[in-house]
């Protein structure tokens, strides 16, 4: 129920953002710290790829962390033992891009256009896991920051979620 209320608040413009310069290193440290035990228990390696020292994004640190936590949680859920979840960041054409990738099962091409839709679950057999709102919330957070979120996937190889935020 909390996810649905969060999403309704975003849709109604009722979520205010406390914008500040946020070190990407801090965001990634909190995400990896929160998921370290789950990754270890599942035998999934969680890594942060090297990126520009001191890289900053402008945004609400709590909301951006929420978006990254949702993506990392999904990546861990869909990555088998022995797989890898990777966090990375780049500066590209006036934007800072935050990436969460995994070596999990992937998303079939026919599902990619719908993954950010409310209640959408590509794998209906997992209907008891999650609300189907996590990626909708990620999109709402990113768009509220003036950014865009996208996904690309090669089933059985890799899935990459990319958050592009304006570099202010």
């Amino acid at each position: 129920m909390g996810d649905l209320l969060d999403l309704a608040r975003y849709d109604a413009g009722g979520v205010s953002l406390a914008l500040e310069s946020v070190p990407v290193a801090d965001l990634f440290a909190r995400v990896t710290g929160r998921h370290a035990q789950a990754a270890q228990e599942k035998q999934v390696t969680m890594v942060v790829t090297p990126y520009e020292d001191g890289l900053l994004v402008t945004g609400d640190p709590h909301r951006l962390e929420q978006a990254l936590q949702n993506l990392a949680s999904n990546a861990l859920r869909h990555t088998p033992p022995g797989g890898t979840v990777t966090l990375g960041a780049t500066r590209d054409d006036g934007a800072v891009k935050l990436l969460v990738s995994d070596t999990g099962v992937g998303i079939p091409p026919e599902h990619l256009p719908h993954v950010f839709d409310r209640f959408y679950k590509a794998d209906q057999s997992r209907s008891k896991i999650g609300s189907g709102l996590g990626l909708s919330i990620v999109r709402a957070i990113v768009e509220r920051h003036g950014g865009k979120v996208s996904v690309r996937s090669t089933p059985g190889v890799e899935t990459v979620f990319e958050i592009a935020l304006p570099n202010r």
Side-chain angles (χ1 to χ4, degrees):
M1 188 65 152
D3 285 347
L4 191 55
L5 290 174
D6 278 350
L7 195 52
R9 285 186 197 110
Y10 279 109
D11 288 347
V15 174
S16 60
L17 300 176
L19 299 180
E20 59 186 77
S21 289
V22 182
V24 170
D26 291 355
L27 290 170
F28 286 173
R30 287 193 294 272
V31 171
T32 55
R34 178 174 180 189
H35 295 288
Q37 184 173 345
Q40 183 178 3
E41 289 171 1
K42 194 169 179 188
Q43 299 176 342
V44 169
T45 302
M46 200 162 194
V47 298
V48 176
T49 60
Y51 55 90
E52 178 185 324
D53 282 341
L55 187 60
L56 301 171
V57 293
T58 300
D60 184 311
H62 303 292
R63 299 301 179 179
L64 292 175
E65 180 184 343
Q66 179 183 5
L68 288 170
Q69 295 286 10
N70 282 354
L71 294 176
S73 178
N74 283 348
L76 276 171
R77 185 178 310 124
H78 296 288
T79 301
T84 304
V85 172
T86 304
L87 304 179
T90 62
R91 187 185 309 269
D92 183 41
D93 198 29
V96 174
K97 295 182 176 180
L98 306 176
L99 301 119
V100 178
S101 65
D102 67 68
T103 58
V105 296
I107 303 168
E110 65 271 18
H111 294 286
L112 286 173
H114 308 288
V115 297
F116 296 105
D117 295 349
R118 290 179 197 205
F119 306 114
Y120 189 79
K121 294 182 182 183
D123 183 354
Q124 294 303 316
S125 69
R126 296 178 181 262
S127 61
K128 292 184 185 199
I129 299 173
S131 64
L133 293 172
L135 293 177
S136 297
I137 291 171
V138 169
R139 181 178 60 192
I141 290 169
V142 172
E143 288 178 354
R144 186 77 168 86
H145 281 82
K148 295 183 190 250
V149 62
S150 61
V151 61
R152 64 185 183 276
S153 185
T154 303
V157 178
E158 138 182 278
T159 298
V160 180
F161 283 88
E162 179 179 281
I163 295 172
L165 298 169
N167 191 11
R168 302 172 199 199

